[in-house]
Structures are given as C-alpha cells and as structure tokens.
Amino acid sequence: MSTRPKDTQPGESKVDAPAIELTPGDREALAGHLSTGGMTRRQAMKWLMAMGISAVAANSLATRWSEAAEATPKPKRGGRMRVAGQTSSVKESLDPTKYTCSTDYARGFTFFNGLTRLDGKAQAQPELATSFEPNADATRWVFKLRKGVTFHDGKTLDADDVVYSIMRHKDPKVGSAAKGLADLISEVKADGKDTVIISLNGSNGDLPILLGTYHFLMVKNGTTDFSTAIGTGPYKVKEFKPGIRSIGVRNENYFLEGRPYMEEQEFFGIADDAARLNALYSGDVHMVASIALASVADVEKRQDVKVVSTKAPRFTSLVMMVDRPPFNNPDLRLAMKHLFDREKVLKTIMKGHGQLGNDHLFAPDDPYYNASLPQRKLDRDKAKYHLKKAGMENAKLELHVSEAAYASVELGMLLQSEAARVGCTIELKREPSDGYWSNIWRQRSFHAGEWNARPTNDLLLSIGFMSNAKWNESQYKNERLDQLINEGRATVDFAKRKQIYGEVQKILYEDGCNVVPCFTNYIGAVNGKVRGLTHCKTGGLGGYNFADTAWLDT
C-alpha cells in the first residue's frame, strides 16, 4: 500500500490531493490502523506531512483513510488461530539472536516487539520507541521509549532492557546470527529510563529499519534462559516445543489497546507444500505462509480460501563468475542478459506474481529505482552481436540449476531454448538440492543463485555485491561500486541517495554479472474469514509480523 503520490518522493510535496485508489487490501489495512488504536486521524495527518506531503493532500488522504476504516468491518475479539509456516526444525529458538528461518521470525513477532516496526514499504515506524533522531551525519541516534510498556511478567520496559538486547548481539560468546549488523554499532547507552543513545562506527541512515527486523527484538535485561519468552509482545508463551509447535495466549496488558484479537495463536511448520495446502483446505489451519507457484491457480478458483501475494525484492538470478573464463568477458555477459523474454517469465513461470527485473537488485516499486535505464527485452540480434564481439559465436556453456534455487530450472530451460536460436549451446546441469549451496553456489562459473528480500538495499549490496563481501557470488569487483555503496549507506537525504543508487544500478545493469529476469512475490494463502493482514516486502504474511493485526470474521 502506498500513501505517497507515485510521482512524489520524501522531501517533495503536491498542492492537490493525489488520486489514489484504495484496494480492498488497502482499506482493510488502513481500517486496522485507524479504527483499532494503531493510528488516529490526527496521527495519520502528522505522519503524511512528515513525509513531505502537503497539508491539503494529507488532509484528503486522512479523510479517505477514515472513510475506509468506517466502511470496513471492525475487528472481532476471541477465537483461536492456527498458522502453518514452511519450515520446521528442532533448532527453533525463542532467542532473537538465534533466529534463522521464517518460523523463528513469526514466533519472535508473536512474543516480542522491536524499537521500530516496518511498514508496507519496509520503512521504520515507531513501536517501542516513540521517536528516533540522528545527528547530522547519522553516526549517533537518539531513541525515546514508549512509557508504560510492561513485559509479560509485569516488569516495566526501560532503557537498560534496550541496551542489553542490542549489545548481546556483539558478544562473540552469544553467537548471534546478526553479529555482522551489530558490529556497525560502537556503543549503546541509557540516558535516563526512557532514552537510549546508539553510536555507530560509521554513518548509517538505515539504523531504525535494521532495528525493526526480527533479530533486534527487545528482551528483558539479563535474560539468558529462552526456554520461554518474557517479552512485551501481543502473546505470552503457553507452550513451546522446538520442531513441533508454539502456543501463545493473549497478553491482556499489551500496549496497543484492544490488541491482539485472538485469545490463542498456535504456530507450527509443515515442510511439504502439498500437505501444507491440504491443511488449509481442510480447515485445520487458518493461514499458510507459503504455497507453491503450481498451486496458485487452484487456490484462486476456491471460494473458501484466498491467495495473499506480497511484492518483494526477492529474486533468482543466473550468476556469471568473473574470476575465470569465459564470463570475465563482459560481452558474453551482455549476450546472456539479452536472451530473456521477461514478460514471458513473469506470466508463465511466476504466474503473474512478481515484477520485471532489469539485471540489478532494485525492483520497479523501489523508491530508489532507476527508471532511466531501458527495460531489457528479448533481443536475439543484440545477443548475436555481443557473442560475436566476445569471439564466442558458437559458445558451449554449462549452466547449473537446482530446485534449491527458486524457479531456476524453468529459467535455465528458457535460456537454453533461446540461446540455441542464436547458435549458443547451453547444457543444463540439474543439481540436487542437498549440498547445492555448499558445492555449486559460488563454485561453478555459470549457476543459479537466489536472494530473499532484505529490509534495506544497503544490506543486500553490502553482503552480496561489494568486492570483499562474504557472499559475493560472482566475484565481481568494482572500486566505484564499493565507493557508491559506502556513500549510500551514509546518506540520509533521499534525493542524494536516489542519485547514488541510480548509479549503482547502472553499473550492475551494464557490467554486472547477474541475469535478473524478474522479482518474485511472497505467496501465501489464508482462510476466507481471516482479516487484518498487512503487507511488508521482507516476507509473507505481513513480513511474518501478523500476530497483533490478524483476526477472524466469524
């Protein structure tokens, strides 16, 4: 859902109210904010104006939101909701430092809260913090805490809890999965009971977004036993059995008045796609976090369930490693990029649930998207030209694909067919899923890779596309690209950052080593009685943060 005019960015304004049509999903989400205590009309006005939207436009939008809220059924209290994720493991944990899969993420948001919460555009909004302000170069941030928030055992949240929750990620003995992110932080200190000051090793305008992710949820000061979860979240732990299930009961003292709506929530994983969908069809569960693309059409035909499709910068790419022949030749890389009918990929392989890709990691709905770069289309003449220029008119290549990399087998078959039309032979090597990420990924010169959505562009660029990045899958090294990534991280001004990221996209588009035909939505499904789900591009079912918004219209 977008509350900003499509041709307006933060820092700009429009005199007239934008003509925005609210979808049913938009109306439901807005109603959830405006009619249940999440956001008043006045707060909506202030929020919109803070984004740079004029008072006239903000007033118009807030009015529409209120009307949408009034027209939408009010949330109902009571009942028990059962939710199935797509993974299950005995290594599941209630400790936020140990989260490694979507099942962990959903449980984290069920029992804990963050200082911030990510909205539909993965931007940080206040949650346990009421405000967050940087200094001039974004090396020091001040967070003001919400007053009156209590943990499940009755203890009042204060600054010491926040200091402990963040700093434990930096302790090597803890073994946090987010230690790399925490290393950006040099110091966290309390300034009284309700203020926290976070100092960084360098400028970072995205810190509030990172603190809204699942690893940085707030725990009680001194907690070392995570057999249960003493958090501030919407539910309290009634039962937790790793690899089996968790049951949460309603937190009557939750700081958002009226929430959560369910009396109990049960969450468990079902790894098999067919079994997970059958559980939804039978009514055994109310929501499933993921469904297979092949099942989408069947779900859409039914009256009792519905598809929940969330746009996300999630993609499968074909990776061309440049530290060895033949893909150290930039013309060969360009030839591969011109051999995809991206509209066909989106329609036939992704069943329409995605967005066109343009051989970089920025999706078309990203506010930093560089629209000046021509959208690549299938162009066999250009492919032939670059093959000839590379001296590889009759090239024979091996492409390694696997079910482990989402839809890569289908992408490989499509490329193989088109390459044959221009005299290039591609032999598909279909690798088993087991061991693919250790034996094939970043090992073979031409292979499939997959990236899940990250909350910030900087995070994905830093871990996957800088010269010294741990997961630089193509071994592409570009000093100018490294410089731009560092500059983008340190830049708070939207217009300047858009210019920087525009150049990043241009470099990857022209010289990069990833063919990115399209971006793939997160696709889940819910019982037709489920209400209150929002969207967040970091994952399915509201970025796995649905515990205090979802309810059943019985």
Side-chain angles (χ1 to χ4, degrees):
M1 176 193 68
S2 175
T3 58
R4 184 186 302 131
K6 291 184 178 179
D7 58 343
T8 306
Q9 301 298 345
E12 302 176 348
S13 64
K14 290 286 184 181
V15 174
D16 298 321
I20 295 180
E21 293 298 326
L22 294 173
T23 67
D26 289 340
R27 289 195 295 271
E28 189 168 295
L30 294 171
H33 283 298
L34 284 164
S35 64
T36 63
M39 183 184 291
T40 66
R41 187 181 184 283
R42 179 171 293 182
Q43 288 172 329
M45 281 279 294
K46 290 176 67 176
W47 180 55
L48 289 166
M49 292 175 69
M51 293 170 64
I53 296 177
S54 72
V56 173
N59 180 66
S60 176
L61 278 171
T63 298
R64 295 185 195 184
W65 288 13
S66 296
E67 291 172 351
E70 292 173 2
T72 303
K74 304 298 183 185
K76 297 178 181 178
R77 275 281 305 275
R80 191 172 193 267
M81 183 174 286
R82 305 186 81 227
V83 185
Q86 67 264 44
T87 61
S88 181
S89 169
V90 294
K91 294 183 179 180
E92 292 166 0
S93 175
L94 295 177
D95 181 353
T97 68
K98 300 295 191 288
Y99 294 166
T100 58
C101 65
S102 58
T103 301
D104 288 333
Y105 311 156
R107 286 203 179 101
F109 289 126
T110 298
F111 302 123
F112 300 101
N113 298 103
L115 290 177
T116 62
R117 183 171 184 149
L118 303 187
D119 63 17
K121 295 296 184 183
Q123 296 301 301
Q125 302 300 332
E127 188 161 73
L128 293 180
T130 58
S131 67
F132 36 91
E133 298 292 337
N135 62 356
D137 61 357
T139 58
R140 182 176 179 272
W141 288 79
V142 178
F143 289 78
K144 296 288 186 179
L145 301 185
R146 187 185 297 270
K147 295 181 180 180
V149 177
T150 59
F151 285 93
H152 297 153
D153 63 357
K155 179 193 177 299
T156 300
L157 171 78
D158 62 30
D160 290 337
D161 300 307
V162 175
V163 173
Y164 177 76
S165 298
I166 297 175
M167 290 301 291
R168 64 191 298 262
H169 289 283
K170 294 178 65 65
D171 184 352
K173 294 179 182 178
V174 171
S176 172
K179 187 179 185 301
L181 294 176
D183 285 342
L184 300 171
I185 298 170
S186 60
E187 182 184 42
V188 184
K189 66 179 183 179
D191 183 12
K193 289 291 186 182
D194 302 318
T195 303
V196 175
I197 300 173
I198 301 179
S199 300
L200 308 178
N201 293 314
S203 300
N204 194 324
D206 290 329
L207 180 67
I209 298 176
L210 296 177
L211 294 180
T213 57
Y214 38 80
H215 285 302
F216 291 98
L217 298 171
M218 296 296 109
V219 303
K220 193 172 67 170
N221 186 17
T223 302
T224 56
D225 180 4
F226 287 91
S227 57
T228 186
I230 304 299
T232 62
Y235 292 90
K236 298 181 290 186
V237 176
K238 177 180 179 181
E239 177 184 316
F240 172 58
K241 295 180 180 178
I244 300 176
R245 69 175 182 173
S246 63
I247 299 176
V249 296
R250 188 176 189 272
N251 177 10
E252 296 289 346
N253 297 315
Y254 193 49
F255 63 90
L256 290 179
E257 186 177 353
R259 300 191 194 186
Y261 305 114
M262 309 304 300
E263 292 301 321
E264 283 193 358
Q265 177 186 286
E266 181 178 355
F267 191 93
F268 50 91
I270 302 177
D272 183 76
D273 286 333
R276 190 165 57 252
L277 192 56
N278 284 334
L280 179 69
Y281 286 166
S282 69
D284 187 47
V285 300
H286 298 97
M287 301 196 294
V288 294
S290 177
I291 61 173
L293 282 168
S295 302
V296 170
D298 182 56
V299 176
E300 290 176 335
K301 292 176 184 176
R302 298 178 65 105
Q303 300 296 315
D304 56 336
V305 297
K306 60 182 179 180
V307 172
V308 178
S309 186
T310 301
K311 285 186 178 181
R314 171 193 185 207
F315 61 90
T316 295
S317 68
L318 301 183
V319 183
M320 301 169 284
M321 300 191 69
V322 296
D323 60 344
R324 68 198 73 172
F327 289 106
N328 55 347
N329 188 314
D331 280 290
L332 179 58
R333 301 199 296 268
L334 282 171
M336 297 299 103
K337 293 176 181 180
H338 286 297
L339 284 174
F340 271 98
D341 183 338
R342 292 154 201 263
E343 295 279 2
K344 184 177 181 179
V345 171
L346 185 57
K347 182 179 179 181
T348 62
I349 297 179
M350 304 306 172
K351 312 301 182 185
H353 290 270
Q355 303 173 77
L356 293 179
N358 212 18
D359 302 326
H360 54 69
L361 55 90
F362 289 72
D365 66 340
D366 192 302
Y368 299 107
Y369 184 72
N370 186 349
S372 69
L373 296 175
Q375 173 60 60
R376 281 209 174 100
K377 300 179 179 180
L378 174 63
D379 194 325
R380 300 186 187 106
D381 289 337
K382 284 186 178 180
K384 288 180 181 179
Y385 168 81
H386 287 291
L387 283 171
K388 183 176 182 180
K389 191 176 178 183
M392 301 189 70
E393 294 97 326
N394 299 306
K396 294 184 179 181
L397 306 170
E398 285 187 356
L399 172 59
H400 298 260
V401 296
S402 172
E403 298 292 344
Y406 194 70
S408 68
V409 175
E410 293 85 350
L411 291 175
M413 294 172 65
L414 192 61
L415 179 63
Q416 182 184 50
S417 175
E418 287 297 342
R421 292 171 177 262
V422 296
C424 176
T425 301
I426 293 181
E427 181 181 359
L428 285 186
K429 296 288 187 179
R430 192 164 179 170
E431 306 288 354
S433 296
D434 289 345
Y436 181 81
W437 299 109
S438 57
N439 300 325
I440 304 299
W441 184 58
R442 298 190 298 158
Q443 305 297 322
R444 304 303 172 92
S445 61
F446 198 17
H447 66 275
E450 181 186 349
W451 288 94
N452 282 317
R454 296 303 195 276
T456 70
N457 294 308
D458 173 66
L459 183 55
L460 181 50
L461 285 166
S462 297
I463 65 176
F465 291 84
M466 291 192 75
S467 297
N468 62 350
K470 178 181 178 181
W471 293 338
N472 181 345
E473 58 188 358
S474 68
Q475 295 302 301
Y476 180 68
K477 303 181 188 300
N478 184 307
E479 290 184 8
R480 178 57 180 163
L481 182 63
D482 294 345
Q483 179 186 354
L484 290 166
I485 294 172
N486 288 326
E487 288 179 3
R489 182 185 311 118
T491 302
V492 177
D493 180 80
F494 177 85
K496 291 181 180 178
R497 182 180 270 192
K498 184 174 177 65
Q499 183 178 7
I500 292 168
Y501 282 156
E503 188 176 345
V504 166
Q505 292 166 71
K506 189 172 187 292
I507 290 172
L508 296 175
Y509 175 85
E510 294 178 345
D511 191 50
C513 307
N514 295 75
V515 184
V516 183
C518 68
F519 295 87
T520 311
N521 294 5
Y522 286 103
I523 310 173
V526 301
N527 182 285
K529 295 180 180 179
V530 171
R531 300 285 185 270
L533 278 181
T534 59
H535 290 276
C536 183
K537 67 179 184 179
T538 56
L541 301 182
Y544 310 109
N545 195 354
F546 54 83
D548 67 353
T549 65
W551 56 282
L552 294 175
D553 189 3
T554 56

